[in-house]
Every structure is written in structure tokens, then in C-alpha cells.
Amino acid sequence: MYAIVEIAGKQFKVTQDRFVFAPSLEGEAGASVEFDKVLLIDNDGDIEVGAPVVEGAKVTGEIVEHVKGNKVIIFKKKRRKGYRLKNGHRQAFTKVMIKGISK
């Protein structure tokens, strides 16, 4: 059984007892979260697609920890002008353990 869920404007395919690295969410580690924007549910071949969401369906999870992604280096240069700019960025994510999918 899996579901397609919208979390913070992005869509994720989630299954029970798996981790999802979602964009940074509010809450402490160990807090439970619910996602009610379920776009699709597949229950062993029985697929139900929402228009735009499946009514009464929700996904529950637990925040495991807040982490940062890998560093992305931004480098800009204009040749023969002496212009060089180097910058870095690490995106914040929340690691969520999916506890259950209900309809």
C-alpha cells in the first residue's frame, strides 16, 4: 500500500514504515504529524485518485529529526573582468517516519 501526498507544496510517494525527507516542518523530534492532502491511494492494485484530494484519507507520521542536505556550491565568473563569486547553501529537511495510511 502506498500513497501520493502533498507536503509543503511538493509531492511524495510514501509507504508505511519508510522515511521521507520533506522540506523543513514545524515541530520537535518525536512529535506526530498528519498530512491530509492525499492525492492518490493504491491498496494492492485498487487505485483511488482524488479530484484534487481523496476525501477522508490521511497519512500519519512522526518527526525523527531535522537535518541539512549536502552542500551546493554556487560559483559565478565573468571572464577577463576579475569578477568571481563563490557561495554555498545547505537546504534544511525534516526526516519523517510514516506510521500509517488510512482512508
Side-chain angles (χ1 to χ4, degrees):
M1 177 177 213
Y2 73 89
I4 305 292
V5 181
E6 183 177 324
I7 303 171
K10 298 188 180 205
Q11 295 179 7
F12 295 93
K13 179 181 177 181
V14 297
T15 58
Q16 192 169 352
D17 298 328
R18 291 285 178 107
F19 293 108
V20 173
F21 288 96
S24 187
L25 299 173
E26 296 291 324
E28 297 294 322
S32 70
V33 290
E34 286 187 356
F35 307 111
D36 56 351
K37 288 190 175 183
V38 179
L39 306 175
L40 179 140
I41 291 182
D42 179 10
N43 190 1
D44 298 326
D46 182 25
I47 297 174
E48 184 172 348
V49 179
V53 295
V54 178
E55 293 296 324
K58 65 181 173 180
V59 174
T60 58
E62 180 182 338
I63 295 176
V64 177
E65 63 181 337
H66 298 284
V67 295
K68 287 187 175 182
N70 294 333
K71 182 172 266 193
V72 178
I73 302 295
I74 295 97
F75 184 75
K76 298 179 182 180
K77 179 181 177 180
K78 295 186 180 177
R79 63 184 191 162
R80 296 188 300 268
K81 305 297 181 199
Y83 172 75
R84 294 176 9 153
L85 178 68
K86 183 176 180 181
N87 202 348
H89 176 74
R90 290 184 73 186
Q91 187 69 36
F93 293 104
T94 301
K95 187 176 182 180
V96 179
M97 169 66 104
I98 303 299
K99 293 293 183 183
I101 301 169
S102 64
K103 170 143 179 14

